[in-house]
Amino acid sequence: MKNKFLFALMCFCTALGFSQSTNYAITGTVTDKDAGIPLEYATVTVTDANDAQDVEGGITDMDGNFRVEVPQGSYTIKIEYISFQPIILNKTINGDLNLGTVQLEFAASDLDEVTVVAETTTVDIRLDKKIYNIGKDLTTAGGTVSDALNNVPSVSVDVEGSISLRGNENVRILINGKPSAIAGYGSTDVLRQLPADAIERVEVITSPSARYDAEGTAGILNIILRKEKTLGFNGSINGSLGNPDLASISANLNLRTEKFNIFNTTGYRYSSSPGNGYFDTRYNTTDEITPTYERIIEDRDIQRLNRGFNTNLGLEYYLDDQSSITGTVFYRNGNDVDETTNLTQSFNNSSRVLETSRIERQKEKDDRYQFSLNYINRFNDEGHQLTADLQYATSEETQNTFINEDITFDSENTDPIIAERLLSIEKQDEYLIQADYVLPFGEGAQFEAGYRGNFENEITDYRVNQEQIANSNNFVQNDTLTNVFDYTENVNAVYTQLGSKFGDFSVLAGLRLENTQLKGKIGSALTEAELQDIYGFEINTDFDNNYLGLFPTLNVTYELNERENITLGYNRRINRPRGWFLNPFPDRSSRNNVFQGNPNLQPAFANAYDLGYLKRWDKLTLTSSVYFQRETESFEVVEEIIELQGQGSNTNGNTVIRSIPVNLSSNERIGAELGLLYNPAKWLRLNGSFNFFQFNTEGFFNDVDYSAKNTSYFARFSSKVSLPWSIDWQTNAFYRGAAQNAQSDTDGILSVDMALSKDLFDEKATISMNVSDLFNGRKRSQITTNDLFTRDSQFQWRQRQINLSFVYRFNQRKNDRQNNRKSPVNDDDNEGDYQS
């Protein structure tokens, strides 16, 4: 949560005589020296040098700002934050005093140890979220944003690139606090193309406040992109080469003056990602269905060629000391080619009767633009401020697919399998309007209110042309498959929240009201009745659903001492179906296994509770939590056998396995997680986490009981060793335990990444080599069993990857992350920067 808590002025006032004197303001900004980010709720204590019992004090707001008023005199000023080394200053006050930017360091034994800690992922606990500074993670050098996310505790990325939080894939992904085309409109495809070094930090928000969208029952991942704060021109250039084929180059550039800040991240990435799949399905004969074949084996070889260019250019202009306006433009161009070869063998009576070779070649072009404008005005130094955002994003994705299947063995005189040409054009437009207002009042209290409007339209034009048997050079459009799906999602939301600090308690309570409109129109040559006959359930080709929901939130922190606290969170969330979950026309990637959307899908709602505990020692940080969530009308993808009619000769009358999302009655999830950051010596840093979860699903679909209980876990371990000659060695290991649902059992997955790096040219450059998935074990092995079929399958999205990377930094050093000067908006004329 981007808390905008008022720093509580005058926490404890005992000198009544002060009110008779002229008071002077002591102001400043407190930041994390290593991460360069503001520290909210840092404590500022001012003690009279002649009478230690007379104390004034306050805490910092979300931007790290503080203000304390005292009369003329000599004072001791102490600035502290949990697990950081405090700063103590002795000052004589005879006028307003601006301490500038006060930078706190982690409470390590010496500065060298703090420096090396900053190179790895570190955690900062806030009222409602954990902030992971990505640091210099060697194993993601040359990698993507998805690779970096897979190293963040509580987060896992599966073999297909799907991102989950605490084992739940319904996670909302934001970029710099807002929905963004960079995140792919809910898809993770773009995140698999953007370079990992574009990330500054990741905020894991498991108990979002009312300020955030209610979307995402698992919570929110907020990805903060890099933006340098150092005066002058500086930046870095990063290049990588790898096997399987990979070549990438990216640059992070920044030009900062007293009046403006220009920042840019630009990169190009070329990669080849071979994958594979194996599916062995045995069908059962029932009273309703007699399968065409008793057994079908599919062996898939997947070759992907990805070429992507992206750039993000921004200008921040400081209107005055209190306000600024920022404009950014993001552009991405993708040009990909995928080829899947599917060798299929069909059996009856234990004998092979048919063998085919199916080749699917797909060319995909993708253009995405995003334009955003941000305005911020701080009315005073006490936290009174207004922010406003406008954002427009548009994209067009074109897929041209040619599918050809040859019969290589046939003992039953099977009809010829016709070739297909598919064309899919997907256009998306999204508008965002947002305003947030913060008003401090009283002692230690803050009121906040805001509005957000999200308006998204997605049009998918899908055309299927099939070969004429009499003339193989002539393709005719299949009207039963060709369709246009026009999908609109409009969300209007208002919220208010109130926060305050009562002694050792910090409380933030809020309420969000959201109105959701989901509209869909299916353009097809088929009527609703004909669609129902083909797909087996009622289909509304023109729907307009409206939902009005209240979403309360509550977050409480109790500080046991400077290094120990307890947090409690509650929030209500919503899971809205995306467009591809609603489109009823099945995909064409296989004749035997298809995915089909469900236009009758309704939103799911969840209530979540979270209890956390944090404890810090000199060299060890422990984070832990237990959580419970109950979701109603939860989504579940079920598999069933159907006979598709009217789909052309490729599937006409064939029994196929259909995967379709449906609303089940409920899903209860309970879990616990534990994280450890341990730095026993300058040369050794250790990081481990363990997440255990269990969910219980109940519900029926088509008179089939899909109730199931699943218990699983995942564990992560990372070590970084500093060797002689400025060489670092890092190893990351991840294991996801076996899992079950109503139909499938999935084996555990072990993945190990390893990297070596060496600094060059007085730490201005670094060369590194890393191996992703060292043992090539990132494969999903699964057994699916029900009354209709049994299927053994194995799928691997990407094979082992070896990368060699080189980064060169100019006008900045490896660990030079602190600000030379805060922006005028965040700081008045500085008297000086203080460091511990």
Side-chain angles (χ1 to χ4, degrees), residues 398-438:
T398 302
Q399 291 181 348
N400 279 286
T401 306
F402 178 73
I403 301 175
N404 185 60
E405 189 164 5
D406 294 324
I407 297 177
T408 58
F409 176 82
D410 183 12
S411 66
E412 296 186 341
N413 296 319
T414 306
D415 291 336
I417 302 174
I418 61 177
E420 294 183 339
R421 296 187 186 275
L422 314 178
L423 175 63
S424 175
I425 302 174
E426 185 177 282
K427 296 181 179 180
Q428 294 175 313
D429 291 284
E430 184 174 16
Y431 299 86
L432 171 72
I433 303 173
Q434 179 174 335
D436 300 283
Y437 178 70
V438 181

Side-chain angles (χ1 to χ4, degrees), residues 402 419-421 465-468 472-477:
F402 178 73
E420 294 183 339
R421 296 187 186 275
N465 293 283
Q466 295 179 321
E467 176 188 19
Q468 284 188 317
S472 60
N473 294 320
N474 189 27
F475 285 76
V476 177
Q477 179 170 294

Side-chain angles (χ1 to χ4, degrees), residues 304-322:
R304 302 183 188 88
L305 177 62
N306 304 118
R307 292 163 292 190
F309 169 81
N310 65 86
T311 185
N312 188 46
L313 176 65
L315 170 64
E316 182 177 9
Y317 182 75
Y318 310 122
L319 300 173
D320 52 43
D321 288 348
Q322 299 295 110

Side-chain angles (χ1 to χ4, degrees), residues 18 42 74 115 231 312 326 405 550 577 587 608 614 734 775 818:
F18 283 2
S74 297
T115 300
L231 284 174
N312 188 46
T326 303
E405 189 164 5
L550 280 173
D587 63 22
L614 166 71
F734 176 84
F775 302 112
Q818 71 247 34

Side-chain angles (χ1 to χ4, degrees), residues 316-449:
E316 182 177 9
Y317 182 75
Y318 310 122
L319 300 173
D320 52 43
D321 288 348
Q322 299 295 110
S323 62
S324 72
I325 188 168
T326 303
T328 59
V329 178
F330 169 80
Y331 169 70
R332 179 184 182 273
N333 172 264
N335 188 2
D336 305 333
V337 179
D338 296 346
E339 181 171 300
T340 301
T341 301
N342 191 349
L343 301 178
T344 302
Q345 298 181 77
S346 303
F347 297 82
N348 277 326
N349 299 319
S350 301
S351 297
R352 184 185 59 163
V353 296
L354 180 67
E355 183 175 282
T356 65
S357 176
R358 179 186 178 94
I359 298 178
E360 177 181 341
R361 296 185 182 93
Q362 182 180 91
K363 295 182 179 180
E364 179 180 318
K365 292 186 177 181
D366 179 15
D367 283 289
R368 297 173 186 264
Y369 298 87
Q370 178 176 290
F371 308 91
S372 59
L373 196 64
N374 168 265
Y375 170 76
I376 182 169
N377 185 7
R378 292 180 171 85
F379 299 102
N380 55 38
D381 295 329
E382 300 175 357
H384 185 197
Q385 68 178 37
L386 171 69
T387 60
D389 292 276
L390 294 174
Q391 182 172 288
Y392 168 68
T394 183
S395 74
E396 181 171 328
E397 180 181 288
T398 302
Q399 291 181 348
N400 279 286
T401 306
F402 178 73
I403 301 175
N404 185 60
E405 189 164 5
D406 294 324
I407 297 177
T408 58
F409 176 82
D410 183 12
S411 66
E412 296 186 341
N413 296 319
T414 306
D415 291 336
I417 302 174
I418 61 177
E420 294 183 339
R421 296 187 186 275
L422 314 178
L423 175 63
S424 175
I425 302 174
E426 185 177 282
K427 296 181 179 180
Q428 294 175 313
D429 291 284
E430 184 174 16
Y431 299 86
L432 171 72
I433 303 173
Q434 179 174 335
D436 300 283
Y437 178 70
V438 181
L439 177 65
F441 67 94
E443 296 186 3
Q446 174 174 292
F447 169 79
E448 185 176 352

Side-chain angles (χ1 to χ4, degrees), residues 8-47:
L9 302 180
M10 313 295 286
C11 294
F12 182 74
C13 179
T14 57
L16 296 178
F18 283 2
S19 62
Q20 307 299 322
S21 307
T22 300
N23 286 349
Y24 299 104
I26 303 173
T27 58
T29 303
V30 182
T31 66
D32 178 339
K33 179 183 176 183
D34 297 313
I37 60 177
L39 293 176
E40 187 180 8
Y41 300 117
T43 303
V44 180
T45 305
V46 182
T47 305

Side-chain angles (χ1 to χ4, degrees), residues 146-157:
S146 290
D147 297 325
L149 290 177
N150 203 35
N151 288 336
V152 174
S154 303
V155 181
S156 62
V157 182

Side-chain angles (χ1 to χ4, degrees), residues 83 137 190 276 299 311 329 338 422 554 567 589 649-650 680 800:
S83 82
D137 195 327
V190 180
N276 56 81
D299 192 353
T311 185
V329 178
D338 296 346
L422 314 178
L554 175 67
T567 58
S589 59
S649 63
N650 284 5
R800 179 194 300 112

